[in-house]
Amino acid sequence: MEERILQYNKPVTANDKIRVAVIGSGIMGHNDIETALKVPGIELAAACDLYTGRLERMKEVYGKDLYTTRDYREILERKDVDAVIIAVSDNWHARISTDAMNKGKHVYCEKPMVHKISEGLDVIKTQRQTKKIMQVGSQGISGIDYLKARELYKAGEIGQLNCIEAIYDRQNAIGAWEYTMPTDGSETTVDWDRYIAGTPKQPYDAKKFFWWRNYKDFGTGMPGDLFVHLVTGIHYVTGSKGPSSIFSAGQLAYWKDGRDVPDVTTCIMDYAETPDHPAFQVMLRVNFVSGTGGGSSVKFIGSEGVLEKTGDGFSITHSIMSKAPGIGGWDSLTTYPQAMQEELKKQYDQKWSDTDKQPLSKPAIKYRKPDGYNEHVDHFINFFEAIKSGNPVIEGPVTAFRAAAPCLASNESYFQKKIIYWDAENMKVI
């Protein structure tokens, strides 16, 4: 297999400063702001979190004079904030994004864009009305490997697509969302009432705050956390707007820690033929107790080969059928009288040449990202350049919702035990 390292050189200049604030300074908030500050011209103006320990940590990392608050609305009132990074629990994504754009702030929101399908069109409407830049954080599609994969797919490298197999498995407690708890988590250090605003009144529960992905009141389970990465990449490569039907199944097999979402989930999404692509089927799986050791891959399977996207790039292997259909072997030929067999072979040889009988071959190729490359940085560069130029981002609210909604529909399918039918063009459940 030939290996090709994708070349990369994208200089960025700091023509203008952009001051950002992070709302939600947990795992993704910390990683997002650390990544954003690698882009020249970006400055951190403020930080918000509902747990005081994280605000204390932000001051330790970024300086004691950093403005911090437990009320995101105070961030939105600040004139020195141009853009916000929203990295809170899923149930707050739509509300804070909408409030931020209405206050004149550009928005980088972690995926999924919304907690409920019903919230999506309102977020899109707000972005269109305010004309603020909104980028959603499925950063993988900003990678040069995805760009090259899309190029080769559209060039017909694997023939006609017919199905996609996508997995995102894990095999450890942290990967299953059992994160390290702080020693001082309590109703004193956590603004619990603000956290549960909009949900049924309930007593303080450290797990529901620090392990929020495990609870459907606050998170979106495996589909909203991981399916959405897979589906975003699939849509980017194929140019699809989304599936026509979604069916999901799952179970709670191992992590019985009080969560109310599965730890093994599978989903089948049917994509109808459109002018942009042939009909194909997507099979998604996430397993949080995977004896494989975990890992992620997306296999685009076509009539002439497979494009497999993995963490460090992708590979293409080919299997191209011969022009002649074949005769003999595991075939009905030998069940016929001998004279008939000889006549059939004679007719076959007359119809098909030796060349027709040989399968076509093409060399396998592996494409690898260069060492040190970071698509997360490129995703932020795309966001900040759009703020400066007004050009579209790679994952605006329409693109993000078209990826998120089928994943959220997967949850609906699992809990309601039924097929969900989706209008991908108009972005609504049928």
Side-chain angles (χ1 to χ4, degrees):
M1 177 178 285
E2 177 186 347
E3 182 176 77
R4 299 182 184 177
I5 299 175
L6 294 163
Q7 296 302 308
Y8 179 73
N9 180 25
K10 187 175 185 179
V12 180
T13 57
N15 293 330
D16 301 293
K17 289 184 178 180
I18 296 175
R19 290 178 58 80
V20 301
V22 59
I23 300 174
S25 54
I27 298 171
M28 282 312 304
H30 265 273
N31 279 275
D32 280 342
I33 196 61
E34 181 181 351
T35 303
L37 292 175
K38 292 177 182 178
V39 181
I42 306 307
E43 296 180 353
L44 177 61
C48 174
D49 200 273
L50 297 180
Y51 167 54
T52 55
R54 286 187 173 139
L55 298 180
E56 183 179 331
R57 179 57 179 163
M58 291 297 288
K59 285 179 176 287
E60 288 177 351
V61 175
Y62 297 106
K64 61 182 177 57
D65 295 329
L66 178 70
Y67 178 82
T68 61
T69 178
R70 298 207 299 188
D71 187 347
Y72 78 89
R73 294 170 296 184
E74 293 180 6
I75 298 280
L76 303 185
E77 293 297 333
R78 291 183 66 90
K79 303 300 183 185
D80 63 342
V81 172
D82 303 306
V84 293
I85 295 170
I86 299 170
V88 295
S89 55
D90 296 345
N91 61 312
W92 280 93
H93 284 188
R95 194 180 334 183
I96 299 178
S97 295
T98 300
D99 287 350
M101 287 185 284
N102 282 329
K103 286 292 184 177
K105 311 303 182 187
H106 302 289
V107 169
Y108 182 104
C109 180
E110 272 304 321
K111 52 74 201 162
M113 186 181 86
V114 293
H115 186 234
K116 303 291 185 185
I117 292 175
S118 58
E119 298 169 329
L121 294 180
D122 286 339
V123 173
I124 292 170
K125 181 180 178 181
T126 299
Q127 189 277 322
R128 287 173 172 167
Q129 288 177 339
T130 63
K131 295 181 170 53
K132 292 294 146 183
I133 300 299
M134 182 177 184
Q135 174 95 299
V136 178
S138 290
Q139 65 272 6
I141 61 168
S142 282
I144 53 172
D145 50 340
Y146 258 117
L147 179 63
K148 186 66 175 179
R150 182 175 70 167
E151 175 190 320
L152 293 174
Y153 164 78
K154 290 187 176 297
E157 190 67 26
I158 62 170
Q160 181 171 301
L161 180 70
N162 53 68
C163 72
I164 298 173
E165 299 173 356
I167 64 169
Y168 209 132
D169 288 352
R170 292 174 173 175
Q171 178 71 335
N172 56 64
I174 292 175
W177 307 325
E178 289 191 348
Y179 305 122
T180 302
M181 291 275 196
T183 57
D184 65 346
S186 69
E187 286 185 273
T188 301
T189 58
V190 172
D191 192 342
W192 177 254
D193 287 339
R194 189 181 303 279
Y195 178 63
I196 64 170
T199 65
K201 185 74 173 176
Q202 51 192 299
Y204 172 76
D205 186 327
K207 286 185 178 180
K208 289 183 178 180
F209 184 80
F210 293 103
W211 294 0
W212 57 264
R213 291 193 186 279
N214 292 312
Y215 302 93
K216 55 188 178 181
D217 278 349
F218 309 103
T220 48
M222 292 171 152
D225 185 25
L226 299 175
F227 278 6
V228 72
H229 277 305
L230 302 172
V231 172
T232 302
I234 288 168
H235 288 183
Y236 178 74
V237 171
T238 62
S240 180
K241 293 178 180 177
S244 53
S245 66
I246 301 105
F247 179 74
S248 185
Q251 62 174 327
L252 186 56
Y254 184 85
W255 300 103
K256 299 179 181 180
D257 50 13
R259 69 184 65 198
D260 58 16
V261 293
D263 57 11
V264 179
T265 302
T266 58
C267 181
I268 296 175
M269 298 184 181
D270 278 317
Y271 285 70
E273 181 179 0
T274 73
D276 297 312
H277 58 73
F280 61 92
Q281 190 175 78
V282 172
M283 292 156 276
L284 302 161
R285 186 195 78 216
V286 176
N287 183 352
F288 277 178
V289 56
S290 176
T292 65
S296 173
S297 78
V298 183
K299 294 181 180 178
F300 297 82
I301 302 171
S303 57
E304 297 182 357
V306 178
L307 188 160
E308 181 175 8
K309 174 73 181 69
T310 54
D312 64 346
F314 65 95
S315 61
I316 297 177
T317 55
H318 300 94
S319 175
I320 305 173
M321 289 186 285
S322 63
K323 188 175 180 181
I327 191 169
W330 191 260
D331 183 21
S332 58
L333 177 70
T334 56
T335 67
Y336 303 147
Q338 187 64 40
M340 187 183 295
Q341 290 184 43
E342 297 304 321
E343 177 60 25
L344 286 167
K345 286 190 284 187
K346 179 181 177 182
Q347 293 175 7
Y348 183 83
D349 289 339
Q350 289 174 342
K351 183 174 182 180
W352 305 106
S353 68
D354 289 341
T355 301
D356 292 338
K357 296 173 186 176
Q358 298 301 315
L360 300 177
S361 62
K362 293 175 72 174
I365 301 176
K366 182 176 178 65
Y367 289 82
R368 184 168 64 83
K369 293 182 288 189
D371 294 338
Y373 174 74
N374 188 339
E375 61 271 9
H376 201 177
V377 174
D378 265 6
H379 210 51
F380 271 108
I381 290 173
N382 180 256
F383 173 56
F384 294 131
E385 287 184 346
I387 291 174
K388 296 174 184 178
S389 68
N391 293 330
V393 290
I394 193 171
E395 193 181 1
V398 171
T399 298
F401 185 52
R402 282 191 164 132
C407 301
L408 301 179
S410 172
N411 276 330
E412 296 300 312
S413 174
Y414 169 76
F415 287 111
Q416 297 180 28
K417 295 180 171 56
K418 68 178 186 180
I419 298 173
I420 305 295
Y421 295 96
W422 177 247
D423 179 347
E425 180 66 39
N426 297 301
M427 297 177 282
K428 63 181 182 180
V429 175
I430 300 174

